[in-house]
Amino acid sequence: SCIGVILLVMSLEFLRRVGREYERYILAERTRNMRRLGGSSASNNGLVEEGAESMASTDRQADGKTGLMTRNSGFKTTTTAAGESKGRVMIRPTLLQQLIRAGLHMITFAVAYFVMLLAMYYNGYFIICILIGAFIGAFIFSWETVGAGNIEEREVTGCCG
């Protein structure tokens, strides 16, 4: 049963990694589509810049609270209350992509809940196995390339991003 607990916690770390990789896939796919469709006039490396005035006004839909969202591409720029840009480009996934993301979240949530229930047994061996599984799972599935971007923007946990 201890091996099962270790594998369950490792699968939790695997599911978290799958969620991150799927979101990267969504971003890469949208970037490829924007490069293919828009060329360099509407995007910079596939991403719409803050306050991009080069887009046609017919492709824009005003959003009073968060800035601009293009109807066709799903790109969303965010601005502060004073009208200053935050420097981020938000992408709204399609319905199918959001269903897949929600399904991954549901499975991850269920596995995490089962791990919590195992810890509530207050069995020392189970708790040690949970810690071992978390260590091994993080070691294997969190081994990602580190970009040269802003380290402070890196998501620490999967819950609060």
Side-chain angles (χ1 to χ4, degrees):
S1 63
C2 282
I3 294 172
V5 171
I6 291 172
L7 292 176
L8 183 67
V9 177
M10 287 176 64
S11 71
L12 177 62
E13 294 298 327
F14 171 74
L15 287 169
R16 288 179 179 166
R17 175 67 182 258
V18 167
R20 288 191 307 264
E21 291 297 325
Y22 186 67
E23 289 184 2
R24 287 183 186 145
Y25 167 77
I26 291 172
L27 180 62
E29 180 182 345
R30 190 63 58 95
T31 302
R32 275 193 310 272
N33 288 341
M34 287 302 294
R35 283 184 184 159
R36 185 170 32 109
L37 295 175
S40 62
S41 65
S43 65
N44 181 15
N45 293 331
L47 298 177
V48 176
E49 295 182 47
E50 299 294 333
E53 297 299 325
S54 62
M55 291 185 287
S57 61
T58 58
D59 290 341
R60 285 192 268 176
Q61 175 182 355
D63 184 0
K65 294 181 181 177
T66 58
L68 300 173
M69 184 170 83
T70 63
R71 231 182 262 142
N72 297 332
S73 67
F75 281 98
K76 180 178 174 183
T77 59
T78 57
T79 56
T80 62
E84 300 169 353
S85 66
K86 291 182 182 179
R88 290 190 135 167
V89 175
M90 308 293 276
I91 296 176
R92 181 174 299 253
T94 63
L95 178 64
L96 178 63
Q97 291 170 340
Q98 184 62 22
L99 284 172
I100 293 171
R101 289 176 68 209
L104 283 171
H105 177 74
M106 179 189 66
I107 294 169
T108 304
F109 189 83
V111 171
Y113 190 76
F114 288 134
V115 170
M116 186 268 310
L117 289 175
L118 285 171
M120 294 305 292
Y121 274 122
Y122 296 110
N123 184 336
Y125 293 113
F126 281 178
I127 292 173
I128 290 170
C129 289
I130 289 170
L131 296 175
I132 291 170
F135 174 78
I136 295 171
F139 181 78
I140 293 172
F141 299 116
S142 294
W143 199 332
E144 302 178 76
T145 56
V146 179
N150 189 356
I151 295 174
E152 295 173 359
E153 290 183 11
R154 183 172 180 256
E155 185 177 342
V156 178
T157 63
C159 69
C160 305

